[in-house]
Amino acid sequence: QVQLVESGGGLVQAGGSLRLSCAASGRTFSTYAMGWFRQAPGKEREFVAAITYNGASTKYADSVKGRVTISRDNAKNTVYLQMNSLKPEDTAVYYCTAGPNYNNYPAKSQYDYWGQGTQVTVSS
């Protein structure tokens, strides 16, 4: 069982930066692939970024590539999402998620555990 708690969301102007954190409980954190998804009002939840259990590989959605970096610290049971050059279209609730496999990383069904989400609002 893994419990995930996101933090770091907030209101930021376009062009600004935010760093989201996701703290995980449980001793098995280091065995899980981790991901970030987001959901804007009236839209489907969409993939943002993923990272392997050991941080060796990362993947990004085309919409955020070059502006976002996912990383993890297994000693702290934490995964991060550094977001730069934020745009109004990045406004959404951001969710942290954990799953046993990395192979099908963009698929929501890949992941077993989800956090409660943190709101990111980017003003123009």
Side-chain angles (χ1 to χ4, degrees):
Q1 189 79 7
V2 176
Q3 292 184 324
L4 305 171
V5 179
E6 303 95 335
S7 62
L11 174 63
V12 63
Q13 288 188 334
S17 298
L18 279 176
R19 188 195 198 200
L20 306 183
S21 299
C22 173
S25 65
R27 292 182 291 178
T28 57
F29 172 79
S30 62
T31 68
Y32 282 90
M34 300 296 295
W36 286 94
F37 282 71
R38 67 186 182 185
Q39 187 166 18
K43 294 189 176 182
E44 293 286 321
R45 190 171 299 189
E46 64 176 7
F47 169 76
V48 176
I51 189 167
T52 52
Y53 72 99
N54 60 358
S57 178
T58 57
K59 297 291 185 183
Y60 299 95
D62 288 343
S63 59
V64 303
K65 200 171 293 183
R67 301 188 296 118
V68 165
T69 302
I70 187 172
S71 61
R72 67 189 297 162
D73 185 338
N74 285 346
K76 296 182 178 179
N77 276 17
T78 302
V79 64
Y80 305 98
L81 189 71
Q82 177 67 45
M83 302 189 294
N84 302 322
S85 301
L86 283 162
K87 305 174 181 180
E89 51 264 44
D90 294 318
T91 295
V93 177
Y94 283 71
Y95 297 90
C96 173
T97 186
N101 298 308
Y102 180 72
N103 292 341
N104 195 20
Y105 58 87
K108 292 187 290 293
S109 59
Q110 151 78 2
Y111 300 95
D112 294 335
Y113 304 103
W114 294 82
Q116 83 290 347
T118 186
Q119 176 71 47
V120 171
T121 303
V122 184
S123 64
S124 57

